[in-house]
Amino acid sequence: LINPLLTLSGSQAGFSSLMLGAIMSAYFGGFICGTWVSGRLIRRMGHIRTFAFCASICATCALLHIMIVDPWFWLLLRFVYGLCFITLVTVIESWLNSQAARYERGRIFATYMVVNLGALALAQQILRLDSGEPFLLFALVSLFICWALLPITISSRSQPHIPERAKSSLKKIIGFAPLAVATSALSGLAMGAFWAMAPLYASKLGFGLSEVGLLMSLTIVGGALLQIPIGRFSDTQDRRKVLVVVAALAAGMCLMMPLAWSNTSLMAVFFVWGGLSFSLYPLGVAQLLDQLHPDEVVSGSTDMLVLHGAGAALAPLLVGLIMNL
């Protein structure tokens, strides 16, 4: 909820497109730093205390946005929020990864992704609750984060042990899997541009607040619906060829966006684009893991996450500059 909410609120407050892009980029900057900090925090404090620590910071940041409406202060808040939020995700995914047996891991993580994307789609519709009082939606963001504390802090299960992270192998990966590296970084650019600036793009075209939420929701639903079929298809084919075809089709959808003759047709194009583009990063990671030794999987996956986050961090700034021009 907070990503489109900040973009729209910042635009109404008179922030420039370039400044909004910088604010969104700060989130992904925190995201990248968080991939290095999260493991250390979990090893120091454990899963539950780390989650509670970072969730309290995220909830506080959400409310501070509406208490102090200043672009530079928002930029700082987004960096801190990104650092803490990726730590929340790391806690959840590392716990799932350590508890799931190999034969059920795919099903468990597929369910996790469906829940995740479903929540993202639902969040866009919460924008409809806007009553002209912006504090309400920011308070809801804080409330949802506080509720996320309940199931993990009430759990009686023992916390999993987190081993020391393997040494990064990024230089080695670039040597033998350049396609996976390029896919991770460039899909990060595409996703970062979408999450940060698509609400502003739609509002500039005359979309109302509810229509912006619907556009975002349809794109995410497309990603949820097509990701699993595309992934299964890639398991039976040459994954590199599948990746190239999906990327080409997604690019084709982008070329159709300025040609859309109505808001409804543009939403349909975004729906298909979401289904294709959301699949690129998982395909790239899968293509990499096909070539890695089991001992290298953790470090390789982390390197892909960092590359993806770096692309996502750069995208809003670039797009904001281009939109200004």
Short mmCIF file of all heavy atoms in Angstrom, two decimals, residues 46-100:
data_model
loop_
_atom_site.label_atom_id
_atom_site.label_comp_id
_atom_site.label_asym_id
_atom_site.label_seq_id
_atom_site.Cartn_x
_atom_site.Cartn_y
_atom_site.Cartn_z
N GLY A 46 18.18 -13.50 16.76
CA GLY A 46 17.18 -14.53 16.51
C GLY A 46 16.08 -14.01 15.60
O GLY A 46 15.91 -12.80 15.42
N HIS A 47 15.30 -14.94 15.04
CA HIS A 47 14.28 -14.58 14.07
C HIS A 47 13.20 -13.67 14.66
O HIS A 47 12.84 -12.64 14.09
CB HIS A 47 13.62 -15.85 13.49
CG HIS A 47 14.46 -16.55 12.47
ND1 HIS A 47 15.60 -17.25 12.81
CD2 HIS A 47 14.32 -16.67 11.13
CE1 HIS A 47 16.13 -17.77 11.71
NE2 HIS A 47 15.38 -17.44 10.68
N ILE A 48 12.64 -14.06 15.79
CA ILE A 48 11.48 -13.36 16.34
C ILE A 48 11.84 -11.96 16.80
O ILE A 48 11.14 -10.98 16.49
CB ILE A 48 10.85 -14.18 17.48
CG1 ILE A 48 10.27 -15.48 16.94
CG2 ILE A 48 9.76 -13.37 18.19
CD1 ILE A 48 9.72 -16.41 17.99
N ARG A 49 12.93 -11.82 17.53
CA ARG A 49 13.33 -10.50 18.02
C ARG A 49 13.73 -9.59 16.87
O ARG A 49 13.45 -8.38 16.89
CB ARG A 49 14.48 -10.62 19.02
CG ARG A 49 14.05 -11.21 20.37
CD ARG A 49 15.24 -11.45 21.27
NE ARG A 49 15.97 -10.22 21.55
CZ ARG A 49 17.21 -10.19 22.05
NH1 ARG A 49 17.85 -11.33 22.30
NH2 ARG A 49 17.79 -9.04 22.30
N THR A 50 14.39 -10.14 15.85
CA THR A 50 14.75 -9.34 14.67
C THR A 50 13.51 -8.84 13.97
O THR A 50 13.43 -7.66 13.57
CB THR A 50 15.61 -10.17 13.70
OG1 THR A 50 16.82 -10.56 14.35
CG2 THR A 50 15.94 -9.36 12.45
N PHE A 51 12.51 -9.72 13.81
CA PHE A 51 11.27 -9.33 13.14
C PHE A 51 10.57 -8.22 13.93
O PHE A 51 10.12 -7.22 13.36
CB PHE A 51 10.34 -10.54 13.01
CG PHE A 51 9.18 -10.33 12.08
CD1 PHE A 51 9.24 -10.72 10.75
CD2 PHE A 51 8.00 -9.74 12.54
CE1 PHE A 51 8.18 -10.52 9.89
CE2 PHE A 51 6.92 -9.53 11.69
CZ PHE A 51 7.02 -9.92 10.36
N ALA A 52 10.48 -8.38 15.25
CA ALA A 52 9.82 -7.38 16.09
C ALA A 52 10.56 -6.04 16.04
O ALA A 52 9.95 -4.97 15.96
CB ALA A 52 9.73 -7.88 17.53
N PHE A 53 11.89 -6.11 16.07
CA PHE A 53 12.72 -4.90 16.04
C PHE A 53 12.49 -4.12 14.75
O PHE A 53 12.24 -2.90 14.77
CB PHE A 53 14.19 -5.31 16.17
CG PHE A 53 15.18 -4.18 16.10
CD1 PHE A 53 15.39 -3.35 17.18
CD2 PHE A 53 15.91 -3.96 14.94
CE1 PHE A 53 16.31 -2.30 17.12
CE2 PHE A 53 16.82 -2.93 14.85
CZ PHE A 53 17.03 -2.10 15.95
N CYS A 54 12.55 -4.81 13.61
CA CYS A 54 12.42 -4.13 12.31
C CYS A 54 10.98 -3.73 12.01
O CYS A 54 10.75 -2.69 11.39
CB CYS A 54 12.97 -5.04 11.21
SG CYS A 54 14.77 -5.25 11.27
N ALA A 55 10.01 -4.53 12.45
CA ALA A 55 8.61 -4.18 12.23
C ALA A 55 8.24 -2.90 12.97
O ALA A 55 7.49 -2.06 12.45
CB ALA A 55 7.70 -5.32 12.66
N SER A 56 8.77 -2.73 14.17
CA SER A 56 8.46 -1.51 14.93
C SER A 56 9.03 -0.27 14.23
O SER A 56 8.41 0.79 14.21
CB SER A 56 9.02 -1.61 16.35
OG SER A 56 10.43 -1.69 16.34
N ILE A 57 10.20 -0.42 13.61
CA ILE A 57 10.80 0.70 12.86
C ILE A 57 9.97 1.01 11.61
O ILE A 57 9.69 2.18 11.30
CB ILE A 57 12.26 0.38 12.49
CG1 ILE A 57 13.12 0.26 13.74
CG2 ILE A 57 12.82 1.46 11.55
CD1 ILE A 57 14.55 -0.16 13.47
N CYS A 58 9.53 -0.05 10.89
CA CYS A 58 8.72 0.16 9.69
C CYS A 58 7.40 0.86 10.03
O CYS A 58 6.96 1.77 9.31
CB CYS A 58 8.43 -1.19 9.01
SG CYS A 58 9.84 -1.92 8.14
N ALA A 59 6.74 0.42 11.10
CA ALA A 59 5.47 1.04 11.50
C ALA A 59 5.67 2.51 11.86
O ALA A 59 4.84 3.36 11.54
CB ALA A 59 4.88 0.27 12.68
N THR A 60 6.79 2.81 12.52
CA THR A 60 7.09 4.19 12.89
C THR A 60 7.35 5.05 11.65
O THR A 60 6.84 6.17 11.53
CB THR A 60 8.32 4.24 13.81
OG1 THR A 60 8.07 3.46 14.98
CG2 THR A 60 8.64 5.66 14.21
N CYS A 61 8.12 4.50 10.70
CA CYS A 61 8.42 5.24 9.47
C CYS A 61 7.15 5.57 8.70
O CYS A 61 7.02 6.67 8.15
CB CYS A 61 9.37 4.42 8.58
SG CYS A 61 11.07 4.35 9.16
N ALA A 62 6.21 4.63 8.66
CA ALA A 62 4.97 4.86 7.92
C ALA A 62 4.23 6.08 8.46
O ALA A 62 3.73 6.91 7.69
CB ALA A 62 4.08 3.62 8.00
N LEU A 63 4.17 6.22 9.78
CA LEU A 63 3.46 7.36 10.38
C LEU A 63 4.24 8.66 10.24
O LEU A 63 3.65 9.73 10.10
CB LEU A 63 3.18 7.06 11.85
CG LEU A 63 2.17 5.94 12.13
CD1 LEU A 63 2.04 5.71 13.63
CD2 LEU A 63 0.81 6.26 11.51
N LEU A 64 5.57 8.58 10.28
CA LEU A 64 6.38 9.79 10.17
C LEU A 64 6.24 10.45 8.80
O LEU A 64 6.42 11.67 8.68
CB LEU A 64 7.86 9.46 10.45
CG LEU A 64 8.23 9.23 11.92
CD1 LEU A 64 9.69 8.77 12.03
CD2 LEU A 64 8.02 10.51 12.74
N HIS A 65 5.90 9.68 7.77
CA HIS A 65 5.71 10.26 6.45
C HIS A 65 4.63 11.34 6.46
O HIS A 65 4.77 12.38 5.79
CB HIS A 65 5.32 9.18 5.43
CG HIS A 65 6.48 8.38 4.92
ND1 HIS A 65 6.78 7.13 5.39
CD2 HIS A 65 7.42 8.67 3.98
CE1 HIS A 65 7.84 6.66 4.76
NE2 HIS A 65 8.25 7.57 3.90
N ILE A 66 3.55 11.08 7.17
CA ILE A 66 2.44 12.02 7.16
C ILE A 66 2.61 13.11 8.21
O ILE A 66 2.03 14.19 8.12
CB ILE A 66 1.08 11.28 7.37
CG1 ILE A 66 -0.08 12.17 6.96
CG2 ILE A 66 0.94 10.79 8.80
CD1 ILE A 66 -0.06 12.58 5.51
N MET A 67 3.45 12.85 9.23
CA MET A 67 3.69 13.85 10.28
C MET A 67 4.65 14.94 9.80
O MET A 67 4.53 16.10 10.20
CB MET A 67 4.23 13.16 11.54
CG MET A 67 3.23 12.21 12.19
SD MET A 67 3.94 11.25 13.54
CE MET A 67 4.24 12.55 14.74
N ILE A 68 5.63 14.55 8.96
CA ILE A 68 6.62 15.51 8.45
C ILE A 68 6.67 15.37 6.94
O ILE A 68 7.31 14.45 6.41
CB ILE A 68 8.01 15.27 9.07
CG1 ILE A 68 7.94 15.31 10.60
CG2 ILE A 68 9.02 16.29 8.53
CD1 ILE A 68 9.25 14.99 11.28
N VAL A 69 5.99 16.24 6.21
CA VAL A 69 5.91 16.16 4.75
C VAL A 69 7.05 17.00 4.16
O VAL A 69 6.89 18.19 3.88
CB VAL A 69 4.54 16.64 4.23
CG1 VAL A 69 4.46 16.49 2.72
CG2 VAL A 69 3.41 15.87 4.90
N ASP A 70 8.19 16.36 4.01
CA ASP A 70 9.37 17.00 3.45
C ASP A 70 10.08 15.98 2.57
O ASP A 70 10.31 14.84 3.01
CB ASP A 70 10.32 17.46 4.56
CG ASP A 70 11.59 18.08 4.02
OD1 ASP A 70 11.57 19.26 3.64
OD2 ASP A 70 12.61 17.34 3.95
N PRO A 71 10.41 16.32 1.32
CA PRO A 71 10.96 15.31 0.40
C PRO A 71 12.26 14.68 0.88
O PRO A 71 12.47 13.47 0.71
CB PRO A 71 11.15 16.08 -0.91
CG PRO A 71 11.14 17.53 -0.53
CD PRO A 71 10.26 17.63 0.66
N TRP A 72 13.15 15.47 1.49
CA TRP A 72 14.43 14.91 1.93
C TRP A 72 14.25 14.02 3.15
O TRP A 72 14.95 13.01 3.30
CB TRP A 72 15.42 16.04 2.22
CG TRP A 72 15.80 16.78 0.98
CD1 TRP A 72 15.39 18.03 0.60
CD2 TRP A 72 16.66 16.32 -0.07
NE1 TRP A 72 15.92 18.37 -0.61
CE2 TRP A 72 16.72 17.35 -1.05
CE3 TRP A 72 17.39 15.14 -0.27
CZ2 TRP A 72 17.47 17.22 -2.21
CZ3 TRP A 72 18.14 15.02 -1.44
CH2 TRP A 72 18.17 16.04 -2.38
N PHE A 73 13.30 14.37 4.00
CA PHE A 73 13.01 13.52 5.15
C PHE A 73 12.36 12.22 4.68
O PHE A 73 12.66 11.14 5.19
CB PHE A 73 12.08 14.25 6.12
CG PHE A 73 11.83 13.50 7.41
CD1 PHE A 73 12.85 13.27 8.31
CD2 PHE A 73 10.57 13.02 7.71
CE1 PHE A 73 12.63 12.58 9.50
CE2 PHE A 73 10.33 12.34 8.89
CZ PHE A 73 11.36 12.12 9.78
N TRP A 74 11.49 12.30 3.68
CA TRP A 74 10.88 11.10 3.11
C TRP A 74 11.94 10.19 2.49
O TRP A 74 11.87 8.97 2.60
CB TRP A 74 9.85 11.49 2.04
CG TRP A 74 8.52 11.87 2.60
CD1 TRP A 74 8.25 12.35 3.85
CD2 TRP A 74 7.25 11.82 1.91
NE1 TRP A 74 6.92 12.60 3.99
CE2 TRP A 74 6.28 12.29 2.82
CE3 TRP A 74 6.87 11.45 0.64
CZ2 TRP A 74 4.93 12.38 2.48
CZ3 TRP A 74 5.53 11.53 0.27
CH2 TRP A 74 4.57 11.99 1.19
N LEU A 75 12.94 10.81 1.84
CA LEU A 75 14.01 10.02 1.24
C LEU A 75 14.75 9.20 2.31
O LEU A 75 15.03 8.02 2.12
CB LEU A 75 14.98 10.95 0.50
CG LEU A 75 16.05 10.29 -0.38
CD1 LEU A 75 16.34 11.17 -1.60
CD2 LEU A 75 17.34 10.07 0.39
N LEU A 76 15.04 9.84 3.45
CA LEU A 76 15.70 9.14 4.55
C LEU A 76 14.81 8.03 5.10
O LEU A 76 15.27 6.91 5.37
CB LEU A 76 16.05 10.14 5.66
CG LEU A 76 16.65 9.54 6.95
CD1 LEU A 76 17.97 8.86 6.66
CD2 LEU A 76 16.82 10.63 8.01
N LEU A 77 13.52 8.33 5.27
CA LEU A 77 12.59 7.33 5.79
C LEU A 77 12.50 6.12 4.87
O LEU A 77 12.44 4.98 5.33
CB LEU A 77 11.20 7.95 5.97
CG LEU A 77 11.01 8.94 7.11
CD1 LEU A 77 9.59 9.51 7.07
CD2 LEU A 77 11.27 8.30 8.46
N ARG A 78 12.49 6.37 3.55
CA ARG A 78 12.37 5.26 2.61
C ARG A 78 13.60 4.36 2.66
O ARG A 78 13.50 3.15 2.50
CB ARG A 78 12.17 5.79 1.18
CG ARG A 78 10.83 6.42 0.93
CD ARG A 78 9.70 5.48 1.31
NE ARG A 78 9.48 4.43 0.34
CZ ARG A 78 8.86 3.28 0.62
NH1 ARG A 78 8.44 3.03 1.84
NH2 ARG A 78 8.69 2.38 -0.31
N PHE A 79 14.78 4.95 2.86
CA PHE A 79 15.99 4.13 2.98
C PHE A 79 15.90 3.23 4.21
O PHE A 79 16.17 2.02 4.14
CB PHE A 79 17.23 5.03 3.07
CG PHE A 79 18.51 4.26 3.25
CD1 PHE A 79 19.18 3.73 2.15
CD2 PHE A 79 19.04 4.04 4.52
CE1 PHE A 79 20.36 3.01 2.31
CE2 PHE A 79 20.21 3.31 4.69
CZ PHE A 79 20.87 2.80 3.58
N VAL A 80 15.53 3.81 5.34
CA VAL A 80 15.43 3.04 6.58
C VAL A 80 14.34 1.97 6.45
O VAL A 80 14.51 0.82 6.87
CB VAL A 80 15.13 3.98 7.77
CG1 VAL A 80 14.88 3.17 9.05
CG2 VAL A 80 16.28 4.95 7.98
N TYR A 81 13.21 2.35 5.83
CA TYR A 81 12.10 1.41 5.65
C TYR A 81 12.53 0.23 4.78
O TYR A 81 12.25 -0.92 5.08
CB TYR A 81 10.92 2.14 5.01
CG TYR A 81 9.63 1.34 4.97
CD1 TYR A 81 8.67 1.48 5.96
CD2 TYR A 81 9.38 0.45 3.93
CE1 TYR A 81 7.48 0.76 5.91
CE2 TYR A 81 8.20 -0.28 3.87
CZ TYR A 81 7.26 -0.13 4.87
OH TYR A 81 6.09 -0.86 4.82
N GLY A 82 13.24 0.53 3.68
CA GLY A 82 13.70 -0.53 2.79
C GLY A 82 14.65 -1.48 3.49
O GLY A 82 14.57 -2.71 3.31
N LEU A 83 15.56 -0.94 4.30
CA LEU A 83 16.52 -1.78 5.02
C LEU A 83 15.80 -2.72 6.00
O LEU A 83 16.13 -3.90 6.09
CB LEU A 83 17.51 -0.88 5.77
CG LEU A 83 18.75 -1.55 6.37
CD1 LEU A 83 19.91 -0.57 6.42
CD2 LEU A 83 18.48 -2.07 7.78
N CYS A 84 14.82 -2.18 6.71
CA CYS A 84 14.11 -2.98 7.70
C CYS A 84 13.13 -3.95 7.05
O CYS A 84 12.96 -5.08 7.51
CB CYS A 84 13.37 -2.08 8.68
SG CYS A 84 14.45 -1.14 9.77
N PHE A 85 12.48 -3.52 5.94
CA PHE A 85 11.47 -4.37 5.33
C PHE A 85 12.09 -5.61 4.69
O PHE A 85 11.53 -6.71 4.78
CB PHE A 85 10.67 -3.58 4.29
CG PHE A 85 9.42 -4.28 3.86
CD1 PHE A 85 8.27 -4.20 4.63
CD2 PHE A 85 9.38 -5.03 2.69
CE1 PHE A 85 7.11 -4.86 4.26
CE2 PHE A 85 8.21 -5.68 2.30
CZ PHE A 85 7.08 -5.60 3.09
N ILE A 86 13.25 -5.48 4.04
CA ILE A 86 13.89 -6.65 3.45
C ILE A 86 14.34 -7.61 4.55
O ILE A 86 14.40 -8.83 4.35
CB ILE A 86 15.09 -6.25 2.55
CG1 ILE A 86 15.59 -7.46 1.75
CG2 ILE A 86 16.21 -5.65 3.36
CD1 ILE A 86 14.56 -8.12 0.88
N THR A 87 14.62 -7.08 5.74
CA THR A 87 14.95 -7.95 6.86
C THR A 87 13.74 -8.75 7.30
O THR A 87 13.85 -9.95 7.64
CB THR A 87 15.50 -7.13 8.05
OG1 THR A 87 16.63 -6.35 7.60
CG2 THR A 87 15.95 -8.03 9.18
N LEU A 88 12.54 -8.13 7.29
CA LEU A 88 11.31 -8.88 7.60
C LEU A 88 11.13 -10.02 6.60
O LEU A 88 10.80 -11.15 6.99
CB LEU A 88 10.10 -7.95 7.54
CG LEU A 88 10.05 -6.75 8.48
CD1 LEU A 88 8.73 -6.01 8.31
CD2 LEU A 88 10.24 -7.17 9.92
N VAL A 89 11.34 -9.74 5.33
CA VAL A 89 11.20 -10.76 4.30
C VAL A 89 12.23 -11.87 4.49
O VAL A 89 11.94 -13.05 4.33
CB VAL A 89 11.33 -10.13 2.90
CG1 VAL A 89 11.33 -11.20 1.81
CG2 VAL A 89 10.21 -9.13 2.65
N THR A 90 13.46 -11.49 4.84
CA THR A 90 14.52 -12.47 5.06
C THR A 90 14.18 -13.40 6.22
O THR A 90 14.42 -14.61 6.16
CB THR A 90 15.86 -11.77 5.33
OG1 THR A 90 16.18 -10.91 4.23
CG2 THR A 90 16.98 -12.78 5.51
N VAL A 91 13.61 -12.83 7.28
CA VAL A 91 13.20 -13.66 8.42
C VAL A 91 12.18 -14.71 7.97
O VAL A 91 12.30 -15.90 8.27
CB VAL A 91 12.60 -12.78 9.55
CG1 VAL A 91 11.89 -13.65 10.59
CG2 VAL A 91 13.70 -11.96 10.21
N ILE A 92 11.17 -14.27 7.21
CA ILE A 92 10.10 -15.18 6.79
C ILE A 92 10.65 -16.26 5.85
O ILE A 92 10.42 -17.46 6.05
CB ILE A 92 8.98 -14.39 6.08
CG1 ILE A 92 8.32 -13.43 7.06
CG2 ILE A 92 7.94 -15.33 5.50
CD1 ILE A 92 7.40 -12.41 6.39
N GLU A 93 11.41 -15.84 4.84
CA GLU A 93 11.86 -16.80 3.84
C GLU A 93 12.91 -17.76 4.39
O GLU A 93 12.92 -18.95 4.04
CB GLU A 93 12.39 -16.06 2.61
CG GLU A 93 11.30 -15.30 1.86
CD GLU A 93 11.76 -14.75 0.52
OE1 GLU A 93 12.94 -14.96 0.16
OE2 GLU A 93 10.94 -14.10 -0.16
N SER A 94 13.81 -17.28 5.24
CA SER A 94 14.81 -18.18 5.81
C SER A 94 14.17 -19.18 6.76
O SER A 94 14.58 -20.35 6.83
CB SER A 94 15.89 -17.37 6.55
OG SER A 94 15.34 -16.66 7.64
N TRP A 95 13.12 -18.77 7.47
CA TRP A 95 12.40 -19.68 8.36
C TRP A 95 11.70 -20.76 7.52
O TRP A 95 11.78 -21.96 7.83
CB TRP A 95 11.38 -18.90 9.19
CG TRP A 95 10.87 -19.62 10.41
CD1 TRP A 95 10.57 -20.94 10.53
CD2 TRP A 95 10.62 -19.05 11.71
NE1 TRP A 95 10.12 -21.23 11.79
CE2 TRP A 95 10.15 -20.09 12.54
CE3 TRP A 95 10.72 -17.77 12.23
CZ2 TRP A 95 9.78 -19.89 13.87
CZ3 TRP A 95 10.37 -17.57 13.56
CH2 TRP A 95 9.91 -18.61 14.36
N LEU A 96 11.01 -20.34 6.46
CA LEU A 96 10.36 -21.31 5.56
C LEU A 96 11.38 -22.27 4.96
O LEU A 96 11.17 -23.49 4.90
CB LEU A 96 9.63 -20.58 4.44
CG LEU A 96 8.29 -19.90 4.76
CD1 LEU A 96 7.80 -19.12 3.55
CD2 LEU A 96 7.25 -20.93 5.16
N ASN A 97 12.50 -21.73 4.51
CA ASN A 97 13.51 -22.53 3.84
C ASN A 97 14.10 -23.59 4.78
O ASN A 97 14.39 -24.71 4.36
CB ASN A 97 14.62 -21.63 3.30
CG ASN A 97 15.57 -22.37 2.38
OD1 ASN A 97 15.13 -23.08 1.48
ND2 ASN A 97 16.85 -22.21 2.59
N SER A 98 14.28 -23.23 6.04
CA SER A 98 14.89 -24.16 7.00
C SER A 98 13.90 -25.22 7.47
O SER A 98 14.31 -26.33 7.85
CB SER A 98 15.44 -23.38 8.21
OG SER A 98 14.38 -22.77 8.92
N GLN A 99 12.60 -24.92 7.46
CA GLN A 99 11.60 -25.85 7.97
C GLN A 99 11.01 -26.75 6.89
O GLN A 99 10.52 -27.84 7.19
CB GLN A 99 10.46 -25.07 8.64
CG GLN A 99 10.88 -24.24 9.85
CD GLN A 99 11.39 -25.11 10.99
OE1 GLN A 99 10.76 -26.08 11.37
NE2 GLN A 99 12.56 -24.77 11.50
N ALA A 100 11.06 -26.32 5.63
CA ALA A 100 10.43 -27.09 4.56
C ALA A 100 11.34 -28.23 4.10
O ALA A 100 12.54 -28.03 3.90
CB ALA A 100 10.12 -26.18 3.39
#
